[in-house]
Amino acid sequence: MDYFSDMVPSFKKPKVIRKKMVDQNVPAPTNHSSLSSRLAVNASVIMPENPELSNWDDSNENAWDEESSNDLLWEADQVLRQQKQAEREQRIAEHQRRKTEKEMQRESRREGNRLAVKLK
């Protein structure tokens, strides 16, 4: 007696799907051709004619301005972080104060209910 005969898997060959090839002679749709590729060659960029190293041009007076503005942004971020930290600490302190007040009220209620002690 074969107990596993109904458990034999049945293999079905998967359906083959083939993608139609796009003919190279057919122009692409207009909506795709209007998009520019980030890897496309830009002929408007002028490459230096001399492949040799040349002297560095220090005529740019604003070279350090960007870095100083980045420093200001960094300092502003630091100030905001410090303010948020201070607010967070203040909220935690307030929460802790309220928690201790509630605990004190609970203790006073428990002690207030004990007016007398039963002796045997």
Side-chain angles (χ1 to χ4, degrees):
M1 178 173 270
D2 188 12
Y3 294 108
F4 301 105
S5 63
D6 60 337
M7 296 177 69
V8 175
S10 60
F11 295 102
K12 295 180 183 177
K13 188 174 181 180
K15 184 178 178 182
V16 177
I17 299 173
R18 296 184 183 199
K19 185 178 175 185
K20 293 182 181 179
M21 299 300 292
V22 178
D23 189 10
Q24 298 293 341
N25 297 332
V26 177
T30 56
N31 58 356
H32 293 292
S33 63
S34 64
L35 297 176
S36 64
S37 172
R38 64 182 180 94
L39 301 176
V41 176
N42 188 355
S44 64
V45 176
I46 300 171
M47 297 298 290
E49 295 177 10
N50 187 0
E52 300 289 324
L53 294 176
S54 60
N55 292 333
W56 183 259
D57 184 19
D58 286 336
S59 63
N60 189 359
E61 298 294 327
N62 298 327
W64 293 99
D65 287 343
E66 274 189 38
E67 290 182 16
S68 64
S69 66
N70 287 340
D71 289 343
L72 292 175
L73 290 174
W74 182 79
E75 289 175 5
D77 287 343
Q78 287 296 104
V79 168
L80 289 174
R81 285 185 190 132
Q82 289 173 352
Q83 287 177 347
K84 288 179 183 178
Q85 181 68 23
E87 290 172 359
R88 189 177 308 122
E89 290 173 355
Q90 186 178 10
R91 285 193 307 263
I92 290 171
E94 181 68 22
H95 177 71
Q96 190 68 26
R97 184 188 59 82
R98 279 190 251 129
K99 186 177 176 181
T100 54
E101 285 178 358
K102 284 184 180 180
E103 287 177 2
M104 289 175 56
Q105 287 177 352
R106 287 182 190 143
E107 289 297 320
S108 66
R109 286 182 194 157
R110 287 181 189 160
E111 291 175 3
N113 290 342
R114 299 181 195 164
L115 297 176
V117 177
K118 183 178 177 183
L119 298 174
K120 283 188 173 184

